[in-house]
Amino acid sequence: MLQRCIDEGLVGGHSFGVDASLIPANANQTRGIESKEGLPPDLTARVIDEYLETLDDAAFGASTKVIPKYISPVDPAARWTGADGGAAFFAYSTNYMVDLDNAVIVDVEPSVPIRTAEAFAARRMIDRITDRFDMTPDKLVGDTGYGSAEMLGWLVEERGIAPHIPVWDKSKRTDGTFSREDFIYDTATDSYTCPSGKRLQTYRRNFSKPRKANGGKDGFIRYRASKHDCDACPLKPQCCPKDNGRRLMRSVHEAARDVARDIRKTDAYMTSFIQRRKVEMLFAHLKRYIGVATMRLRGPKGAYEQFQLAATAQNLRKLAKLVPEASPA
């Protein structure tokens, strides 16, 4: 189906949009089992086997260490979620990768409705499109859910894709003290300068062989100011009133985050922001015209089959509208 769209010139492959939508699972929302009790040992079904197979899948079981409150005995891979702001229910996420030129769906991937899982699904779709159709987009358009440091680092550093995505940043302080943006980073010395002109460094010892700062297991590099500098600083009440010295954390992918921040200041980003509505409109059509308001199949494989068929139907609608019929001889 996608190859036909490519042949018709409907897919340019220059700019892709990505988003996810919740689809209620084919499971009774009132008959979930508390996760701490576990599934009954006598349960045997295809969806149980699929659930066990996806426990280590980054788009499903391995996407988070948080255990859901309830688990469905008929479709345990579905996630108990209240992400839409209403009553919680069992659901899957359908993830779309869309060519923004004509709003053609180029790939689809199921996942659990968790940000990290949806971001991994986007990476999986980009790799699959590149392998099968030799298409790598120049830019990727998405919402803040795809703006994590790991995702932006993968896009910029490994794939060379411009992220038209808001940065997921929680460094802004709300207590009136200086935020990280008030400190100036110097690439040459790999250090920050505070508003008072003092330096925050990762190391203060003079090593015979200079060391390069590496992030910890959480992917952040720590920078610390000297306690002597902070004690004598008149700005200490506005900086670190309760600490001996100011500390900052910088992601190992901060350069990629800066690329995304710079793109957000451009007119091209505003164009991408408007184009992203095409992806959201496809989800509205999915539920209203295609009729996928809830799952008909169960398990990750059932979700993939149903989402794939629905996306194919949407692309057929697009073909019927955009490709003119051959005139009769």
Side-chain angles (χ1 to χ4, degrees):
M1 187 68 248
L2 177 57
Q3 188 61 56
R4 172 69 189 281
C5 291
I6 295 173
D7 295 340
E8 295 289 349
L10 301 182
V11 176
H14 302 297
S15 59
F16 286 172
V18 62
D19 208 344
S21 181
L22 283 175
I23 304 293
N26 185 9
N28 192 312
Q29 312 300 332
T30 63
R31 294 184 180 179
I33 300 173
E34 289 197 19
S35 297
K36 61 182 180 181
E37 298 179 5
L39 291 170
D42 58 340
L43 282 181
T44 55
R46 173 187 62 83
V47 291
I48 303 295
D49 295 336
E50 289 182 19
Y51 165 67
L52 297 176
E53 291 174 1
T54 59
L55 286 178
D56 295 327
D57 192 329
F60 286 92
S63 60
T64 179
K65 295 181 180 179
V66 177
I67 300 175
K69 185 176 182 180
Y70 297 106
I71 188 171
S72 170
V74 297
D75 193 354
R79 186 79 180 188
W80 180 256
T81 179
D84 65 348
F89 56 94
F90 295 110
Y92 286 96
S93 275
T94 176
N95 300 271
Y96 277 4
M97 189 70 65
V98 179
D99 187 285
L100 296 177
D101 291 339
N102 290 296
V104 173
I105 303 169
V106 295
D107 206 348
V108 60
E109 181 78 15
S111 71
V112 290
I114 298 174
R115 284 183 173 181
T116 52
E118 293 167 357
F120 182 82
R123 294 169 59 169
R124 182 176 285 175
M125 289 187 287
I126 290 175
D127 285 340
R128 190 158 54 216
I129 295 165
T130 302
D131 293 340
R132 292 182 180 179
F133 301 99
D134 194 25
M135 287 192 310
T136 301
D138 298 326
K139 67 178 181 180
L140 182 69
V141 182
D143 59 22
T144 313
Y146 302 93
S148 65
E150 294 79 8
M151 182 66 181
L152 295 176
W154 183 82
L155 288 171
V156 176
E157 299 162 7
E158 297 187 30
R159 292 295 181 269
I161 300 173
H164 288 232
I165 301 170
V167 178
W168 187 7
D169 192 355
K170 294 185 177 180
S171 63
K172 183 71 174 178
R173 290 194 171 187
T174 58
D175 59 356
T177 58
F178 294 133
S179 298
R180 192 181 63 192
E181 62 186 18
D182 297 314
F183 294 72
I184 301 173
Y185 179 71
D186 184 5
T187 307
T189 60
D190 187 26
S191 64
Y192 280 93
T193 302
C194 74
S196 186
K198 303 301 182 181
R199 292 175 62 186
L200 286 77
Q201 302 170 278
T202 53
Y203 301 110
R204 291 192 174 273
R205 291 175 56 190
N206 294 321
F207 296 100
S208 57
K209 184 180 293 185
R211 295 189 179 184
K212 183 178 179 180
N214 296 315
K217 293 182 178 180
D218 58 355
F220 285 92
I221 303 171
R222 272 72 177 174
Y223 296 82
R224 298 175 177 84
S226 166
K227 180 179 181 299
H228 175 76
D229 291 339
C230 289
D231 286 343
C233 181
L235 296 179
K236 190 176 190 299
Q238 296 174 258
C239 186
C240 52
K242 298 181 181 179
D243 297 326
N244 293 328
R246 183 60 189 261
R247 302 178 184 181
L248 292 178
M249 295 171 58
R250 178 182 174 87
S251 171
V252 294
H253 303 295
E254 197 65 31
R257 284 155 58 92
D258 288 338
V259 170
R261 292 187 184 103
D262 292 339
I263 291 175
R264 191 171 185 180
K265 300 173 184 177
T266 64
D267 293 336
Y269 178 86
M270 295 306 299
T271 301
S272 299
F273 179 79
I274 296 172
Q275 286 181 323
R276 189 162 62 87
R277 298 174 186 175
K278 295 181 181 180
V279 188
E280 298 169 352
M281 186 61 68
L282 284 170
F283 290 133
H285 291 171
L286 173 70
K287 297 175 182 179
R288 182 171 182 178
Y289 299 127
I290 307 300
V292 185
T294 186
M295 297 292 298
R296 297 290 185 271
L297 304 176
R298 291 173 176 168
K301 293 182 180 178
Y304 182 79
E305 291 176 5
Q306 184 167 343
F307 296 158
Q308 188 81 14
L309 288 171
T312 301
Q314 289 181 279
N315 279 347
L316 285 171
R317 284 168 51 88
K318 185 67 65 174
L319 271 174
K321 290 181 179 180
L322 298 182
V323 178
E325 296 183 4
S327 57

